């Protein structure tokens, strides 16, 4: 017959409030941050015609700031989804979180070394070259 009105604290659909907006802005921001991390990586390492590229200090600082912002935005999206009670959105936030972690590892500036560095090569006065820690066949090794 007649319905008793609930206060916003009692109505589960009204508890979203401003957090839905925060969730959407943080979600879009995290996707943009991932794109900017990739763009920074290209700016640091994209070289043409055999040139050697090394990232400068500004690109390294930019990566670190973007990495921090990306992680913060992903945490905000997941937290606001929990706050809003929107469990089905976790699929999207999970995809963004996995993509963010992959982007931060793959597009790191400076690059993450997955293999051990090559041994250093020493050139002697007679022109003979030997890897450091070499064998008995190398002069001085």
């Amino acid at each position: 017959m007649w319905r008793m009105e609930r206060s916003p604290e009692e109505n589960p659909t009204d508890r979203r409030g401003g957090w839905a907006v925060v969730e959407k802005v943080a979600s879009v921001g995290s996707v943009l941050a991932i794109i900017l991390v990739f763009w920074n990586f290209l700016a640091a390492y994209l070289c043409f015609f055999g040139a050697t590229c090394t990232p400068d200090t500004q690109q390294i600082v930019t990566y670190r700031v973007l990495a921090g912002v990306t992680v913060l935005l992903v945490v905000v999206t997941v937290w606001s989804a929990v706050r809003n009670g929107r469990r089905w959105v976790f699929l999207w936030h999970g995809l963004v979180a996995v993509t963010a972690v992959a982007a931060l590892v793959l597009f790191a500036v400076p690059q993450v070394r997955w293999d051990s560095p090559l041994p250093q090569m020493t050139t002697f006065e007679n022109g003979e070259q030997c890897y450091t820690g070499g064998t008995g066949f190398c002069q001085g090794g």
Side-chain angles (χ1 to χ4, degrees), residues 94-110:
L95 179 65
V96 171
V98 168
T99 304
V101 169
L104 292 177
V105 171
L106 293 176
F107 305 134
V109 176

mmCIF file of all heavy atoms in Angstrom, residues 94-110:
data_model
loop_
_atom_site.group_PDB
_atom_site.id
_atom_site.type_symbol
_atom_site.label_atom_id
_atom_site.label_comp_id
_atom_site.label_asym_id
_atom_site.label_seq_id
_atom_site.Cartn_x
_atom_site.Cartn_y
_atom_site.Cartn_z
ATOM 1 N N GLY A 94 40.077 -6.096 -12.463
ATOM 2 C CA GLY A 94 41.117 -7.121 -12.474
ATOM 3 C C GLY A 94 41.918 -7.096 -13.760
ATOM 4 O O GLY A 94 43.145 -7.216 -13.749
ATOM 5 N N LEU A 95 41.236 -6.924 -14.883
ATOM 6 C CA LEU A 95 41.922 -6.819 -16.174
ATOM 7 C C LEU A 95 42.828 -5.594 -16.212
ATOM 8 O O LEU A 95 43.977 -5.674 -16.664
ATOM 9 C CB LEU A 95 40.887 -6.760 -17.303
ATOM 10 C CG LEU A 95 41.431 -6.620 -18.715
ATOM 11 C CD1 LEU A 95 42.222 -7.865 -19.101
ATOM 12 C CD2 LEU A 95 40.303 -6.382 -19.689
ATOM 13 N N VAL A 96 42.336 -4.473 -15.727
ATOM 14 C CA VAL A 96 43.149 -3.257 -15.696
ATOM 15 C C VAL A 96 44.341 -3.432 -14.759
ATOM 16 O O VAL A 96 45.455 -3.009 -15.076
ATOM 17 C CB VAL A 96 42.287 -2.040 -15.295
ATOM 18 C CG1 VAL A 96 43.155 -0.820 -15.043
ATOM 19 C CG2 VAL A 96 41.266 -1.725 -16.376
ATOM 20 N N ALA A 97 44.145 -4.071 -13.613
ATOM 21 C CA ALA A 97 45.238 -4.279 -12.666
ATOM 22 C C ALA A 97 46.323 -5.182 -13.245
ATOM 23 O O ALA A 97 47.516 -4.877 -13.125
ATOM 24 C CB ALA A 97 44.696 -4.868 -11.366
ATOM 25 N N VAL A 98 45.927 -6.270 -13.891
ATOM 26 C CA VAL A 98 46.911 -7.170 -14.508
ATOM 27 C C VAL A 98 47.652 -6.456 -15.641
ATOM 28 O O VAL A 98 48.876 -6.570 -15.777
ATOM 29 C CB VAL A 98 46.218 -8.457 -15.015
ATOM 30 C CG1 VAL A 98 47.130 -9.271 -15.906
ATOM 31 C CG2 VAL A 98 45.744 -9.287 -13.836
ATOM 32 N N THR A 99 46.926 -5.690 -16.443
ATOM 33 C CA THR A 99 47.553 -4.933 -17.523
ATOM 34 C C THR A 99 48.508 -3.889 -16.971
ATOM 35 O O THR A 99 49.591 -3.672 -17.521
ATOM 36 C CB THR A 99 46.469 -4.256 -18.395
ATOM 37 O OG1 THR A 99 45.568 -5.243 -18.865
ATOM 38 C CG2 THR A 99 47.073 -3.525 -19.569
ATOM 39 N N ALA A 100 48.132 -3.244 -15.880
ATOM 40 C CA ALA A 100 48.998 -2.234 -15.270
ATOM 41 C C ALA A 100 50.298 -2.853 -14.765
ATOM 42 O O ALA A 100 51.380 -2.303 -15.001
ATOM 43 C CB ALA A 100 48.262 -1.533 -14.133
ATOM 44 N N VAL A 101 50.204 -3.977 -14.098
ATOM 45 C CA VAL A 101 51.416 -4.642 -13.599
ATOM 46 C C VAL A 101 52.305 -5.065 -14.763
ATOM 47 O O VAL A 101 53.529 -4.862 -14.734
ATOM 48 C CB VAL A 101 51.045 -5.845 -12.705
ATOM 49 C CG1 VAL A 101 52.265 -6.705 -12.401
ATOM 50 C CG2 VAL A 101 50.391 -5.376 -11.426
ATOM 51 N N ALA A 102 51.710 -5.641 -15.799
ATOM 52 C CA ALA A 102 52.491 -6.056 -16.969
ATOM 53 C C ALA A 102 53.140 -4.847 -17.640
ATOM 54 O O ALA A 102 54.322 -4.900 -18.024
ATOM 55 C CB ALA A 102 51.594 -6.797 -17.966
ATOM 56 N N ALA A 103 52.409 -3.757 -17.774
ATOM 57 C CA ALA A 103 52.962 -2.562 -18.407
ATOM 58 C C ALA A 103 54.092 -1.971 -17.580
ATOM 59 O O ALA A 103 55.116 -1.543 -18.129
ATOM 60 C CB ALA A 103 51.863 -1.523 -18.621
ATOM 61 N N LEU A 104 53.939 -1.960 -16.265
ATOM 62 C CA LEU A 104 54.984 -1.393 -15.412
ATOM 63 C C LEU A 104 56.255 -2.227 -15.436
ATOM 64 O O LEU A 104 57.353 -1.695 -15.288
ATOM 65 C CB LEU A 104 54.468 -1.240 -13.984
ATOM 66 C CG LEU A 104 53.378 -0.183 -13.794
ATOM 67 C CD1 LEU A 104 52.891 -0.180 -12.352
ATOM 68 C CD2 LEU A 104 53.848 1.188 -14.209
ATOM 69 N N VAL A 105 56.125 -3.522 -15.644
ATOM 70 C CA VAL A 105 57.316 -4.375 -15.726
ATOM 71 C C VAL A 105 57.919 -4.323 -17.130
ATOM 72 O O VAL A 105 59.128 -4.144 -17.297
ATOM 73 C CB VAL A 105 56.975 -5.826 -15.330
ATOM 74 C CG1 VAL A 105 58.130 -6.764 -15.627
ATOM 75 C CG2 VAL A 105 56.605 -5.890 -13.859
ATOM 76 N N LEU A 106 57.083 -4.461 -18.155
ATOM 77 C CA LEU A 106 57.597 -4.523 -19.525
ATOM 78 C C LEU A 106 58.097 -3.176 -20.043
ATOM 79 O O LEU A 106 59.022 -3.125 -20.846
ATOM 80 C CB LEU A 106 56.516 -5.059 -20.466
ATOM 81 C CG LEU A 106 56.113 -6.504 -20.247
ATOM 82 C CD1 LEU A 106 54.961 -6.875 -21.169
ATOM 83 C CD2 LEU A 106 57.294 -7.432 -20.487
ATOM 84 N N PHE A 107 57.478 -2.090 -19.614
ATOM 85 C CA PHE A 107 57.843 -0.766 -20.123
ATOM 86 C C PHE A 107 58.600 0.049 -19.089
ATOM 87 O O PHE A 107 58.508 1.270 -19.051
ATOM 88 C CB PHE A 107 56.593 -0.014 -20.581
ATOM 89 C CG PHE A 107 55.782 -0.760 -21.595
ATOM 90 C CD1 PHE A 107 54.416 -0.860 -21.474
ATOM 91 C CD2 PHE A 107 56.388 -1.381 -22.675
ATOM 92 C CE1 PHE A 107 53.658 -1.544 -22.397
ATOM 93 C CE2 PHE A 107 55.643 -2.081 -23.600
ATOM 94 C CZ PHE A 107 54.280 -2.165 -23.468
ATOM 95 N N ALA A 108 59.376 -0.629 -18.262
ATOM 96 C CA ALA A 108 60.157 0.057 -17.232
ATOM 97 C C ALA A 108 61.271 0.878 -17.870
ATOM 98 O O ALA A 108 61.858 0.495 -18.874
ATOM 99 C CB ALA A 108 60.756 -0.959 -16.267
ATOM 100 N N VAL A 109 61.534 2.031 -17.285
ATOM 101 C CA VAL A 109 62.635 2.890 -17.713
ATOM 102 C C VAL A 109 63.471 3.162 -16.474
ATOM 103 O O VAL A 109 62.979 3.793 -15.550
ATOM 104 C CB VAL A 109 62.108 4.220 -18.302
ATOM 105 C CG1 VAL A 109 63.255 5.145 -18.657
ATOM 106 C CG2 VAL A 109 61.236 3.968 -19.509
ATOM 107 N N PRO A 110 64.693 2.695 -16.395
ATOM 108 C CA PRO A 110 65.417 1.879 -17.353
ATOM 109 C C PRO A 110 64.875 0.459 -17.396
ATOM 110 O O PRO A 110 64.205 0.016 -16.472
ATOM 111 C CB PRO A 110 66.853 1.894 -16.837
ATOM 112 C CG PRO A 110 66.742 2.189 -15.386
ATOM 113 C CD PRO A 110 65.497 3.012 -15.216
#
